[in-house]
Amino acid sequence: MTKKLFILLILISTIYLSGCGNKTIEAENITDTESRNTSYSDEDKILSHNTVSLEDGPERKFDKVPLYYQQDYADIPYGISTIGKSGSLVTCLAMMESYYKADYITPKKLLSEYPSLMDEKDTLTMMETIASANDLTVVSQAFDPYVLADYLNNQERLVLLEIPHASSFGSATSYILITGTTPDGDLVVRDADYNNIEKFAINTKYDELVYSATSIVLEAGKTSLIHAFTYQEGRE
């Protein structure tokens, strides 16, 4: 067992044994994404809020997942709303599509390339649309921190966390893309909501956006879901 996996599992065990798996969020601490202000307005000039490079090798490949914020696309129509108000999932899927395609596929561009996503109300269908386009499958299950740790460390999968209840991450359903762990046992994330960064990002020596495993487990509770994007049989 790797050191970082061991540390992560110890943290998770401590949280669950202490009975904090279903943390109650006080209403006054919840802020609706659509009421937030943003300083980002010109989406055509924004590619990624983190540094992404192409890896050397026979295949075109990004070395890490780009970071987009839904607030950068506040006025872009999405269904009966906008990406800024309701585009957490779409923004996460755009980050994943960018990583798998090794190209900057912004949320706005994603909707133009997959028109069916614009009015699709089934979120799993949306995930499967992007997965299928990249020869992947989506494996969904109830939130289990031990399974999450296995996906991230042993299988090296991208995992989409779905929090279907009000939490400190949002007043409605929130999505956070988890891309890996640090040697300290914390989680490397791509959070589509810029407003969460100040609340949850922790300072590390790593050039990554990192949330503590504790904060994720506490906010997720036992009603959340994890969606692991895995390669189809016969392809790695």
Side-chain angles (χ1 to χ4, degrees):
M1 180 182 295
T2 64
K3 179 181 177 182
K4 63 181 181 181
L5 175 57
F6 176 76
I7 294 174
L8 178 58
L9 291 178
I10 289 296
L11 286 172
I12 290 170
S13 297
T14 301
I15 295 167
Y16 264 54
L17 290 175
S18 66
C20 297
N22 287 320
K23 180 184 178 185
T24 300
I25 306 301
E26 298 296 334
E28 60 267 26
N29 292 331
I30 299 172
T31 306
D32 195 337
T33 299
E34 65 179 299
S35 67
R36 295 162 177 162
N37 295 321
T38 174
S39 59
Y40 306 107
S41 59
D42 190 349
E43 73 278 357
D44 292 329
K45 295 182 180 178
I46 299 169
L47 292 179
S48 177
H49 287 280
N50 64 336
T51 302
V52 177
S53 303
L54 284 171
E55 289 186 346
D56 293 331
E59 295 184 3
R60 180 183 172 89
K61 184 179 180 181
F62 276 164
D63 64 340
K64 62 181 66 174
V65 179
L67 175 60
Y68 305 139
Y69 295 134
Q70 65 189 88
Q71 287 86 355
D72 293 340
Y73 310 89
D75 299 324
I76 303 301
Y78 169 53
I80 61 174
S81 184
T82 63
I83 293 177
K85 293 179 181 179
S86 307
S88 174
L89 175 56
V90 165
T91 305
C92 285
L93 293 176
M95 290 188 262
M96 300 179 77
E97 176 79 353
S98 297
Y99 178 71
Y100 292 125
K101 291 287 195 294
D103 195 7
Y104 292 106
I105 311 296
T106 65
K108 179 181 179 181
K109 186 175 182 180
L110 185 78
L111 291 177
S112 68
E113 294 190 357
Y114 298 90
S116 64
L117 297 180
M118 181 65 76
D119 299 307
E120 180 58 63
K121 295 179 175 60
D122 187 282
T123 56
L124 184 56
T125 297
M126 294 174 65
M127 296 179 204
E128 290 175 340
T129 296
I130 301 304
S132 177
N134 292 282
D135 296 326
L136 300 164
T137 58
V138 182
V139 179
S140 303
Q141 69 166 75
F143 179 77
D144 184 327
Y146 297 98
V147 173
L148 174 63
D150 179 62
Y151 276 134
L152 296 174
N153 291 284
N154 296 330
Q155 301 187 44
E156 298 183 344
R157 306 305 186 197
L158 297 184
V159 179
L160 194 55
L161 171 64
E162 177 181 353
I163 304 177
H165 54 259
S167 71
S168 292
F169 288 108
S171 63
T173 300
S174 301
Y175 294 89
I176 300 173
L177 180 59
I178 306 176
T179 66
T181 63
T182 71
D184 305 314
D186 293 310
L187 299 174
V188 179
V189 303
R190 297 291 182 267
D191 192 339
D193 188 348
Y194 172 79
N195 297 282
N196 289 332
I197 308 304
E198 183 175 351
K199 293 187 292 183
F200 290 100
I202 59 177
N203 293 322
T204 69
K205 60 186 176 183
Y206 313 106
D207 183 25
E208 282 286 8
L209 177 59
V210 176
Y211 288 173
S212 72
T214 302
S215 66
I216 293 291
V217 173
L218 289 177
E219 297 299 329
K222 297 181 179 180
T223 61
S224 294
L225 300 169
I226 53 176
H227 308 278
F229 285 65
T230 66
Y231 285 109
Q232 296 177 2
E233 187 175 352
R235 187 195 169 205
E236 280 292 337

